[in-house]
């Protein structure tokens, strides 16, 4: 079976280094907010081109805490609106409603699956305060256009970079376009920990300082609490392992791009719609997502041929029980996308022979 994602094999490449840094942390006797977190935050900020990176417990917390910080700083109030793509993973929406803000779900660009700048402009009201672009599947959103809109209407931008580590436009990385950004280091991400983890990037010193307190019970100094904060800290062992894996992010991204280029050039089956991107640097191919009206039949065919696929995501947020109040929103494009998408293997440990086999079987699908 060709696995969709073989984390054992991926992490086995770096096993000796991972064991070494875990041992270093164990022997240090310091396990929370120590040297490893500080150094990873510095290295990750440098990778993204930002002044600050703040390690947190997971990607959802990264988004949630930014919105919370903006409320603490007086930029947001309960009931303010946040523009977000309707076809995102539910975490993007959860971060909004957790802060008593209102998600405004927009249909995406059908070719890129990211926010459509024209739709964004039309959706802005007097209550709109934030644009939350999601760089879905690893393709960075149209940030030049979105930043122009935000500047015109005096809006904040919070990037959801959970799938887009290293994607860039005009040499500027995901996480460095908006006022802040949230990243996930869930094990399956392009930069994945061996457990949960996340980070926030920003160039705003006041925001960074507020977040440093909010993630740590609302405290900068032990037993002195400025805010009603939370406990959301990237731990030392995960930070140490992420420092190892960060060194290989660029080379693994290059492999993902090579696989994606082969898929795009060599899959020749008019039953299958391939993804579209306009510049290889814009996309880091966290996922290679195809579409077909006969998804179940196609995925079963691939499984019969020992090729594992995954659906990202079968049900859009507005059709989840958690958001029953949104169920009657008319979002036909989003619903069609969720009914048709299927993610092919793009594991960086796949061999050329594996990729050739996958392409052969897809081209043989009738």
């Amino acid at each position: 079976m060709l696995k969709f994602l073989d984390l054992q094999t991926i992490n086995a490449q770096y096993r000796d280094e991972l064991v070494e840094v875990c041992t270093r942390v164990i022997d240090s006797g310091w396990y929370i907010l120590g040297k490893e977190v500080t150094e990873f935050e510095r290295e990750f900020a440098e990778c993204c081109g930002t002044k600050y990176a703040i390690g947190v417990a997971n990607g959802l917390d990264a988004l949630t805490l930014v919105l919370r910080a903006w409320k603490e700083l007086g930029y947001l109030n309960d009931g303010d609106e946040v523009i977000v793509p309707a076809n995102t993973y539910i975490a993007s929406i959860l971060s909004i409603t957790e802060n008593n803000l209102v998600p405004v779900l927009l249909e995406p660009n059908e070719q890129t699956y990211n926010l459509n700048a024209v739709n964004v402009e039309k959706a802005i009201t007097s209550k709109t305060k934030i644009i939350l672009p999601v760089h879905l599947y690893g393709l960075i959103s149209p940030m030049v256009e979105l930043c122009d809109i935000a500047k015109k209407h005096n809006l904040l931008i919070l990037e959801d970079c959970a799938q887009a580590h290293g994607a860039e436009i005009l040499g500027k990385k995901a996480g460095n376009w908006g006022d802040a950004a949230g990243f996930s280091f869930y094990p399956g991400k392009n930069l994945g920990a061996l457990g949960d983890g996340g980070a926030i990037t920003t160039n705003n010193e006041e925001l960074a300082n507020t977040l440093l307190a909010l993630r740590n019970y609302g405290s900068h100094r032990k037993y002195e609490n400025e805010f009603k904060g939370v406990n959301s800290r990237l731990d030392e062992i995960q930070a140490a392992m992420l420092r190892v894996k960060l060194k290989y992010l660029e080379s693994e991204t290059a492999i993902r791009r090579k696989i994606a280029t082969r898929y795009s050039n060599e899959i020749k089956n008019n039953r299958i719609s391939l993804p579209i991107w306009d510049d290889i640097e814009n996309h880091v191919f966290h996922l290679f997502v195809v579409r077909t009206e006969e998804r179940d039949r196609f995925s079963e065919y691939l499984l019969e041929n020992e090729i594992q696929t995954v659906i990202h995501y079968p049900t859009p947020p507005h059709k989840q029980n958690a958001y029953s109040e949104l169920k009657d929103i008319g979002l036909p494009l989003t619903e069609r996308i969720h009914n048709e998408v299927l993610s092919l293997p793009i594991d960086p440990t796949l061999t050329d022979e594996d990729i050739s086999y996958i392409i052969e079987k897809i081209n043989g699908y009738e």
Side-chain angles (χ1 to χ4, degrees), residues 33-54:
L33 295 184
K35 177 183 175 182
E36 299 295 343
V37 169
T38 298
E39 287 300 300
F40 173 72
E41 289 174 337
R42 180 185 62 77
E43 291 163 3
F44 191 65
E46 183 178 338
C47 173
C48 295
T50 58
K51 292 181 180 178
Y52 307 100
I54 299 97

Side-chain angles (χ1 to χ4, degrees), residues 324-338:
S324 58
E325 70 273 18
L326 303 176
K327 68 180 185 303
D328 294 326
I329 295 177
L331 295 165
L333 172 57
T334 291
E335 290 166 24
R336 187 164 74 251
I337 288 170
H338 283 260

Side-chain angles (χ1 to χ4, degrees), residues 7-26 36 187 191-195 236-248 252:
L7 289 177
Q8 267 188 310
T9 301
I10 289 173
N11 289 319
Q13 301 172 102
Y14 319 122
R15 186 180 189 281
D16 290 346
E17 288 181 83
L18 294 171
V19 170
E20 179 183 348
V21 297
C22 287
T23 302
R24 184 173 73 210
V25 173
I26 292 167
E36 299 295 343
L191 179 59
L194 274 72
E236 283 287 281
I237 282 184
Q238 295 301 339
M241 290 191 285
L242 284 166
R243 292 183 67 195
V244 170
K245 298 190 72 178
L246 183 59
K247 295 186 297 183
Y248 300 100
E252 286 201 357

Side-chain angles (χ1 to χ4, degrees), residues 44 48 50 59 62-63 88 92 132-141 143 157-167 173-178 180-185 189-191 199-201 284 286:
F44 191 65
C48 295
T50 58
L63 298 176
T88 184
S92 310
L132 201 164
V134 180
H135 308 320
L136 202 62
Y137 308 147
L139 176 64
I140 193 170
S141 301
M143 294 310 300
I157 291 182
L158 171 56
E159 298 175 70
D160 185 338
C161 301
Q163 301 182 357
H165 313 70
K173 295 283 184 70
N176 193 22
W177 282 90
F183 286 84
S184 168
F185 305 127
K189 303 300 185 185
N190 289 23
L191 179 59
I200 298 157
T201 56
V284 294
H286 172 59

Side-chain angles (χ1 to χ4, degrees), residues 155-364:
L155 305 177
L156 294 163
I157 291 182
L158 171 56
E159 298 175 70
D160 185 338
C161 301
Q163 301 182 357
H165 313 70
E168 62 183 66
I169 298 174
L170 302 173
K172 192 172 183 178
K173 295 283 184 70
N176 193 22
W177 282 90
D179 298 278
F183 286 84
S184 168
F185 305 127
Y186 182 77
K189 303 300 185 185
N190 289 23
L191 179 59
L194 274 72
D196 267 323
I200 298 157
T201 56
T202 184
N203 292 306
N204 186 293
E205 183 178 7
E206 183 182 35
L207 177 62
N209 286 335
T210 303
L211 288 163
L212 287 171
L214 284 175
R215 74 172 180 184
N216 187 39
Y217 299 99
S219 173
H220 282 298
R221 185 176 298 178
K222 196 168 185 178
Y223 304 130
E224 295 180 15
N225 303 82
E226 300 171 52
F227 309 104
K228 297 174 184 175
V230 299
N231 177 11
S232 180
R233 303 174 298 205
L234 180 65
D235 72 62
E236 283 287 281
I237 282 184
Q238 295 301 339
M241 290 191 285
L242 284 166
R243 292 183 67 195
V244 170
K245 298 190 72 178
L246 183 59
K247 295 186 297 183
Y248 300 100
L249 176 61
E250 190 172 335
S251 60
E252 286 201 357
T253 298
I255 297 170
R256 288 176 179 273
R257 287 171 171 160
K258 180 181 176 183
I259 295 170
T261 300
R262 285 202 62 194
Y263 281 158
S264 295
N265 292 339
E266 298 177 40
I267 293 176
K268 308 290 184 182
N269 190 321
N270 58 18
R271 292 176 177 270
I272 310 300
S273 297
L274 301 176
I276 294 172
W277 66 95
D278 57 9
D279 186 330
I280 197 71
E281 299 299 321
N282 295 8
H283 212 319
V284 294
F285 296 99
H286 172 59
L287 301 170
F288 191 94
V289 179
V290 301
R291 282 173 62 188
T292 174
E293 294 179 0
E294 48 199 47
R295 179 178 65 195
D296 290 347
R297 178 169 168 259
F298 180 52
S299 63
E300 288 170 7
Y301 163 83
L302 291 177
L303 191 60
E304 288 168 0
N305 284 279
E306 301 290 307
I307 300 167
Q308 186 182 56
T309 58
V310 176
I311 299 171
H312 295 91
Y313 306 95
T315 306
H318 73 287
K319 291 297 184 182
Q320 299 283 358
N321 289 337
Y323 288 106
S324 58
E325 70 273 18
L326 303 176
K327 68 180 185 303
D328 294 326
I329 295 177
L331 295 165
L333 172 57
T334 291
E335 290 166 24
R336 187 164 74 251
I337 288 170
H338 283 260
N339 286 331
E340 295 179 356
V341 290
L342 188 70
S343 300
L344 302 181
I346 195 163
D347 183 325
T349 64
L350 290 169
T351 66
D352 287 341
E353 291 74 19
D354 293 333
I355 301 304
S356 294
Y357 176 77
I358 293 167
I359 292 167
E360 175 192 344
K361 292 305 174 183
I362 292 174
N363 287 339

